[in-house]
Amino acid sequence: DQQVKQNSPSLSVQEGRISILNCDYTNSMFDYFLWYKKYPAEGPTFLISISSIKDKNEDGRFTVFLNKSAKHLSLHIVPSQPGDSAVYFCAASAGGNKLVFGAGTILRVKS
Amino acid sequence: EPEVTQTPSHQVTQMGQEVILRCVPISNHLYFYWYRQILGQKVEFLVSFYNNEISEKSEIFDDQFSVERPDGSNFTLKIRSTKLEDSAMYFCASTSGVDEQFFGPGTRLTVL
């Protein structure tokens, strides 16, 4: 099941710079997209979401962009901080139902 | 801040034994979910529960699995006869239906 793909297993960024995490999806029925952050031995923590009727949503240092025609979304973190180092999961749902997750991207922010 | 809690944090069991994983969702939430993550793999949906019944289940959620909301606060996942391949992190999640799903810290299930 490859409905949600995160093609970069890891990303390393210098503190203060921008982190860009990418996600692609194949299911046209998805209408709600979320980013979760996960530390080892913890559950996923919600970061930010976007509805398919929007193309951008911003919350502090986090911005999610949605390109429906390309079936692509991205998470921008600026400025990146060492505490942002974690696994980031992209997830999608259709009609507010179950979440379908990507494989995750490990973000390392170097100080 | 309200949170989803799960017990135990780690469960070790012998193959063929029954296990019950427990979750206390956020109190005003109406929709409940179980997901699992096998080591090194994606987080996978198992089952969703609303209005005291299963609303959707995945292919993984076979007859060995069951869910229950025995009272107004707990939400449980039972695996009747565990297999080695059931070893995973199991996450409970809940939502009011108008916001995101909130996840618990997970239960690590190890089947020997």
Side-chain angles (χ1 to χ4, degrees):
Chain A
D1 182 353
Q2 292 288 313
Q3 295 187 74
V4 177
K5 299 182 202 178
Q6 291 177 258
N7 291 319
S8 297
S10 64
L11 174 68
S12 186
V13 171
Q14 198 67 35
E15 180 179 8
R17 306 296 292 268
I18 186 170
S19 296
I20 300 176
L21 297 105
N22 294 301
C23 178
D24 297 292
Y25 63 97
T26 57
N27 188 340
S28 300
M29 299 301 291
F30 288 147
D31 57 5
Y32 190 56
F33 304 89
L34 310 91
W35 286 93
Y36 283 85
K37 176 180 177 181
K38 187 179 180 304
Y39 294 114
E42 293 185 13
T45 302
F46 170 76
L47 267 180
I48 192 169
S49 62
I50 188 167
S51 163
S52 60
I53 62 173
K54 295 187 174 182
D55 55 19
K56 177 182 174 182
N57 189 26
E58 191 171 352
D59 184 2
R61 296 186 298 115
F62 302 92
T63 303
V64 56
F65 296 91
L66 175 62
N67 182 333
K68 281 180 61 180
S69 60
K71 294 191 174 68
H72 176 84
L73 64 154
S74 60
L75 173 68
H76 293 209
I77 306 173
V78 55
S80 302
Q81 300 172 354
D84 296 329
S85 298
V87 181
Y88 288 78
F89 290 99
C90 171
S93 73
N97 295 317
K98 67 182 182 187
L99 294 179
V100 179
F101 282 85
T105 297
I106 301 170
L107 174 65
R108 296 188 185 91
V109 180
K110 300 177 288 187
S111 54
Chain B
E1 185 175 326
E3 58 181 15
V4 177
T5 59
Q6 291 185 242
T7 54
S9 57
H10 190 190
Q11 174 86 52
V12 181
T13 189
Q14 295 290 325
M15 190 169 53
Q17 295 296 303
E18 173 183 288
V19 295
I20 297 176
L21 310 183
R22 292 183 166 80
C23 168
V24 179
I26 294 172
S27 62
N28 64 339
H29 283 183
L30 302 174
Y31 299 81
F32 314 111
Y33 305 83
W34 284 101
Y35 294 82
R36 79 174 185 189
Q37 185 181 27
I38 294 171
L39 188 64
Q41 299 187 21
K42 291 184 179 185
V43 176
E44 306 173 283
F45 167 78
L46 290 178
V47 65
S48 58
F49 192 85
Y50 170 72
N51 201 24
N52 283 320
E53 59 182 28
I54 291 173
S55 46
E56 187 176 357
K57 59 184 180 179
S58 71
E59 293 176 351
I60 304 166
F61 195 88
D62 61 22
D63 292 344
Q64 294 300 311
F65 291 86
S66 63
V67 289
E68 194 177 36
R69 188 157 162 82
D71 52 42
S73 59
N74 290 282
F75 179 50
T76 62
L77 173 69
K78 182 194 290 187
I79 309 175
R80 272 181 260 285
S81 178
T82 49
K83 302 188 280 274
L84 294 175
E85 54 266 38
D86 293 327
S87 294
M89 283 290 291
Y90 287 80
F91 296 106
C92 173
S94 70
T95 177
S96 63
V98 296
D99 55 11
E100 66 277 8
Q101 291 182 25
F102 290 83
F103 283 76
T107 293
R108 177 172 298 284
L109 176 64
T110 302
V111 182
L112 302 175

